[in-house]
């Protein structure tokens, strides 16, 4: 077995091969520059996983070079490359005492740097709740510290740092980073224009900002086709219910992310769009037939593979038509290998959804889940609840012969190829100038421009909207005010009131319990609704009480657009698809006529509005 010095030499040779082939340097954002500072390479990343040298960075380490690196690793180092774990703290070397205690309790180490060294990790996933994502500068420093820890331990292979930055309803990183409309909002804009340009533009901005902070894998886009209004976990995270439209938008986002140097991850295979259970807390059952799967669920994943997606994430769902064993898809060889690998021809990295979720833990113990996922054909094992147990279990499975060394090396090679494709061997470290990308003025402007085309006017029977802001109407804003996904924007009622005021209205926000008494004397009451359930509910009662005042009521659905079908008819209805500031600003412009509404429903609202419905102003 080659010694540590030999492995270092292999890594050095791989890095030099990536840089010297073109005489260019690579920044943390993944944009290569020639010696004169001009950008090098095409704007796209047309090279699919495993396609060999090429793409935005010119030559990167090829399969033979990476194969030699795999051969030089110990078994412990190879197994470590397959794990992507959480770690607590804003710093990899000096976490806050509370985070150090969490690391000690869960992993037996105090710091994320020690965690990387102990388990030879292939990646780390960032979460806000793990205190990894305070500010862009802090995130970049954390990324730098983690990469230094990886370089100084084990095989010395760069880490693949990742997060869930879908935008809209799921965002781990908030302001001052640019927050963009989420998938269903983008789908609403696409229904109006038929163009994927804005969707790709959004992913390009998101990718550039992630790369600037050292994050080189995003668990996006969501490729699930949301055909079930009762779906508790996908909903607005999906681009919509039309599989062809979703396929086009998924492919556009893959190209946008990867064109910015960040690995895209299409999820959740084989499709999570028609479930009624959240796989975080239970094991969903997909009842689609094989023919329905081919018509509804397959097209976006096939489009992602055709677009060269770096990674696909599995779903913790049971899909009897694809595998009658009762195993969740993450642990299903017929689904992961038989369908994703063989039917769709995917040669890139298959990453599990988080292994601490209930959906994958109900049938087997935490010691068996990682082994079965690898046997199914997965490559990356994401966030196991007990990393030490999972790591020992995979090692033991190799030692017993249940998993072969060749099977482990197959996955390690795919992971290393992804890292090479994203430039990590040539430039794993963040650079100060790259942080100018994060929340850049042109990115913020673009976010508002993109959001402007997504707000959907669903009903306006009496022509209440647009409100004439030049007459300074009194407007009351109330209703649901959930915390923002990133914890850095909102609350939406106050943001909407502030934006209306900036446009000329005399607008104020009030808590729901005080709204009916405050409503008289206002030109309109805007009620923000959030996932209104069927039947009686406090939100339905609030709308009814406000209607009883005689003041015109505008229902603003700030998450799922299905709310209108579960409420009394209002003077107007608007859908924003998310509740972060960018969507609230767009809604204010539509409500006052500063922007004509142009969004079109990317899903039908049963009993109320068809797919593609959306009004505008004469």
């Amino acid at each position: 077995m080659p010694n540590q010095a030999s492995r270092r030499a292999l890594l050095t040779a791989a890095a030099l091969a990536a840089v010297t082939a073109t005489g260019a340097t690579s920044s943390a954002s993944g944009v290569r520059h020639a010696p004169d500072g001009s950008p090098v390479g095409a704007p796209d990343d047309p090279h699919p996983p495993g396609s060999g040298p090429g793409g935005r960075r010119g030559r990167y380490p090829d399969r033979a070079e990476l194969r030699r690196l795999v051969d030089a690793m110990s078994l412990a180092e190879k197994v470590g490359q397959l794990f992507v774990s959480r770690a607590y703290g804003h710093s990899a070397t000096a976490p806050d005492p509370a985070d150090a205690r969490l690391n000690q309790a869960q992993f037996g180490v105090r710091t994320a740097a020690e965690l990387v060294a102990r388990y030879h990790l292939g990646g780390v996933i960032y979460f806000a709740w793990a205190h990894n994502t305070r500010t862009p500068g802090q995130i970049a420093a954390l990324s730098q510290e983690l990469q230094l820890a990886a370089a100084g331990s084990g095989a010395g292979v760069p880490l693949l740092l990742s997060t869930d930055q879908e935008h809209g309803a799921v965002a781990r990183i908030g302001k001052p980073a640019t927050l963009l409309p989420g998938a269903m909002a983008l789908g609403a804009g696409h229904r109006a224009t038929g163009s994927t340009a804005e969707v790709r533009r959004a992913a390009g901005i998101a990718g550039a900002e992630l790369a600037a902070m050292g994050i080189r894998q995003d668990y996006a886009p969501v490729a699930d086709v949301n055909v079930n209004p009762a779906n508790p976990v996908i909903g607005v995270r999906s681009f919509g219910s039309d599989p062809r439209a979703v396929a086009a938008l998924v492919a556009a986002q893959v190209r946008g992310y990867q064109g910015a140097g960040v690995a895209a991850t299409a999820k959740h295979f084989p499709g999570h769009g028609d479930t009624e259970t959240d796989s975080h807390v239970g094991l969903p059952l997909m009842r689609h037939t094989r023919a329905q799967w081919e018509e509804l669920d397959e097209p976006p994943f096939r489009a992602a593979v055709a677009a060269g997606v770096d990674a696909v994430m599995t779903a913790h769902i049971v899909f009897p038509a694809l595998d009658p064993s009762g195993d969740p898809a993450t642990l299903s060889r017929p689904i992961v290998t038989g369908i994703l690998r063989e039917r769709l021809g995917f040669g890139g990295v298959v990453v599990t959804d988080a292994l601490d979720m209930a959906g994958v833990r109900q049938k087997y113990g935490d010691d068996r889940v990682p082994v079965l996922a690898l046997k199914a054909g997965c490559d990356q094992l994401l966030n196991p609840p007990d990393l030490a147990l999972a790591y020992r279990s995979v090692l033991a499975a190799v030692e017993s012969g249940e998993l072969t060394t060749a099977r482990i090396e197959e996955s390690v090679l795919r992971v290393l190829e992804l890292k090479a494709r994203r430039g990590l061997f040539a430039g794993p470290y963040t650079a100060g100038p790259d942080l100018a990308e994060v929340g850049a003025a042109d990115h913020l402007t673009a976010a508002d421009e993109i959001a402007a085309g997504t707000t959907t006017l669903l009903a306006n029977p009496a022509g209440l909207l647009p409100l004439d802001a030049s007459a300074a109407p009194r407007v009351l804003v109330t209703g649901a005010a959930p915390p923002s996904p990133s914890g850095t924007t909102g609350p939406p009622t106050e943001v909407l009131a502030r934006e209306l005021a900036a446009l000329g209205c005399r607008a104020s926000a009030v808590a729901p319990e005080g709204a009916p008494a405050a409503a008289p004397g206002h030109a309109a009451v805007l009620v923000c609704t959030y996932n209104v359930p069927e039947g009686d509910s406090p939100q339905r009662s609030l709308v009814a009480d406000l209607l009883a005042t005689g003041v015109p009521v505008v229902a603003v659905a700030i998450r799922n657009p299905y709310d209108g079908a579960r409420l009394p008819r209002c003077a107007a209805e608007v859908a924003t698809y998310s509740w972060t500031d960018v969507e609230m600003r767009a809604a204010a412009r539509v409500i006052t006529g500063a922007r004509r509404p142009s969004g079109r429903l990317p899903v039908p609202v049963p009993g109320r509005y068809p797919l593609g419905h959306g009004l505008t102003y004469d």
Side-chain angles (χ1 to χ4, degrees), residues 27 75 117 175 198 225 288 307 336 338 444 482 493 498 510 587 599 607:
S27 72
L75 177 60
K175 291 173 63 176
E198 295 288 61
V225 180
H288 288 184
V336 176
L444 297 173
T493 49
R498 184 174 66 241
V510 65

Side-chain angles (χ1 to χ4, degrees), residues 263-283:
T265 309
K267 62 184 185 184
H268 308 79
F269 190 82
H272 209 318
D274 193 8
T275 59
E276 296 182 2
T277 301
D278 183 346
S279 51
H280 292 85
V281 298
L283 180 57

Side-chain angles (χ1 to χ4, degrees), residues 12 16 44 48 93 107 111 126 132 171 210 218 258 266 318 325 354 374 493 495 503 507 513 517 520 532 580 601:
T12 301
L16 287 173
D44 292 342
T93 56
F107 305 118
T111 71
Y126 289 170
N132 304 139
L210 289 173
D218 193 10
Q258 295 185 180
V318 172
S325 71
L374 291 171
T493 49
V495 174
L503 291 165
E513 55 270 21
V532 178
T580 57
L601 278 174

Side-chain angles (χ1 to χ4, degrees), residues 246-251 254-255 298-309 344:
V246 174
L249 299 184
V250 165
V254 167
R255 295 186 176 102
E298 180 185 24
F301 292 101
R302 183 175 290 280
V305 173
V309 70
L344 298 187

Side-chain angles (χ1 to χ4, degrees), residues 416-461:
L416 295 187
E417 286 182 315
L418 190 161
K419 292 179 178 183
R421 228 170 14 253
R422 293 298 140 228
L424 285 167
F425 286 95
Y429 303 112
T430 53
D434 292 320
L435 281 176
E437 292 270 8
V438 183
D442 59 330
H443 288 182
L444 297 173
T445 298
D448 279 326
E449 292 172 350
I450 294 167
T454 67
T455 305
T456 306
L457 178 62
L458 298 175
N460 193 28

Side-chain angles (χ1 to χ4, degrees), residues 71 75 143 213 240 368 436 440 499 503 521:
D71 291 341
L75 177 60
S143 299
M213 293 179 279
R368 294 298 298 156
E499 295 299 325
L503 291 165

Side-chain angles (χ1 to χ4, degrees), residues 193 239 252 386 417 501 537 606:
T193 65
F239 288 109
D386 187 334
E417 286 182 315
S537 69

